[in-house]
Amino acid sequence: MTHHTPSDIAFSPSVKAQQEAKGSRDLFAGGDAQNPWPDQITPDLADFIAAQTSVFLGTASAPGQPYIQHRGGPAGFLKVLDDYQIGFADLAGNRQYITLGNLSENPQAFLFLIDYTQRRRIKLWGRARVVEDDPGLLGRLVSENGRGRPERAILFDIGTWDVNCRQHIPQRFEAEDVRAALMQREERIAQLEAELAAHSKP
């Protein structure tokens, strides 16, 4: 019987074959042995998830046609429900229902989280499902300061996750953070000008 590890979710036989052909298989195999990929949510990951205001959810139809959907909201809209599960309220949108259709026939899913300010990104593989007509669950997932009309819940069960390196991630800052920094600077300048004017008086 073949023993499967969390990294096998991402590194399928065909992926491993490409790694072997390109010369990187030994590197990853050694890393997996020394530092196995996690299959549950750590406190550090939970904090990262709670800070996100944007997430990309990848799904595919049964024949394999991929689709990526963006979901956003105030920090905390993506909620950790336990050590293995994440959930969020699915809001009313353009009524294409591509994600819902894909999940109805293929539960394999992928979450991509990126923090441009800290230049950090996390990939999560797992299985997702749609939960309709569960007011109690939806109430747990709706954000107090969120906008939009919640219609259903989407639950994501983690299979494994990995942290990408910082290379090639452009550093960007949230507009609100930039405004706050500029306001703080302007207040400091005004304070210094007032002090200078006070000292300049005869």
Side-chain angles (χ1 to χ4, degrees):
M1 181 177 179
T2 303
H3 175 66
H4 294 284
T5 65
S7 65
D8 290 330
I9 297 174
F11 295 162
S12 65
S14 59
V15 171
K16 291 178 181 178
Q18 287 295 316
Q19 292 173 348
E20 189 71 38
K22 306 299 183 184
S24 65
R25 182 64 205 138
D26 289 343
L27 172 65
F28 287 111
D32 294 347
Q34 296 177 11
N35 299 293
W37 286 31
D39 62 358
Q40 67 182 62
I41 299 171
T42 63
D44 183 61
L45 176 59
D47 289 343
F48 186 80
I49 291 171
Q52 299 311 298
T53 59
S54 180
V55 63
F56 296 93
L57 173 64
T59 60
S61 63
Q65 178 62 48
Y67 178 69
I68 295 177
Q69 180 181 50
H70 173 263
R71 277 292 180 257
F77 86 96
L78 192 62
K79 302 186 184 302
V80 174
L81 300 179
D82 60 39
D83 289 345
Y84 300 92
Q85 190 176 76
I86 300 168
F88 64 91
D90 191 38
L91 306 179
N94 57 19
R95 302 175 65 85
Q96 290 184 339
Y97 302 124
I98 300 175
T99 295
L100 300 190
N102 286 348
L103 292 178
S104 72
E105 59 183 11
N106 180 2
Q108 302 294 335
F110 182 84
L111 282 174
F112 185 83
L113 283 60
I114 185 164
D115 181 341
Y116 287 103
T117 302
Q118 301 298 325
R119 298 178 63 218
R120 187 182 185 196
R121 54 189 170 185
I122 293 181
K123 305 173 293 186
L124 302 100
W125 289 262
R127 298 168 68 88
R129 66 184 186 276
V130 178
V131 180
E132 304 270 10
D133 302 321
D134 189 334
L137 175 61
L138 199 56
R140 293 175 59 194
L141 298 177
V142 171
S143 299
E144 292 183 5
N145 301 321
R147 298 180 179 178
R149 177 168 54 86
E151 293 187 324
R152 63 191 60 82
I154 293 183
L155 301 180
F156 183 92
D157 297 314
I158 291 178
T160 191
W161 58 276
D162 187 35
V163 181
N164 264 119
C165 68
R166 296 159 58 92
Q167 189 177 16
H168 305 309
I169 301 178
Q171 189 171 44
R172 299 173 181 171
F173 299 92
E174 295 288 340
E176 291 183 6
D177 294 335
V178 173
R179 280 195 293 269
L182 290 175
M183 183 176 296
Q184 186 178 24
R185 186 192 68 172
E186 293 300 323
E187 290 174 352
R188 179 58 177 160
I189 290 174
Q191 179 186 0
L192 293 173
E193 288 177 342
E195 293 176 358
L196 181 60
H199 287 302
S200 298
K201 290 181 179 180

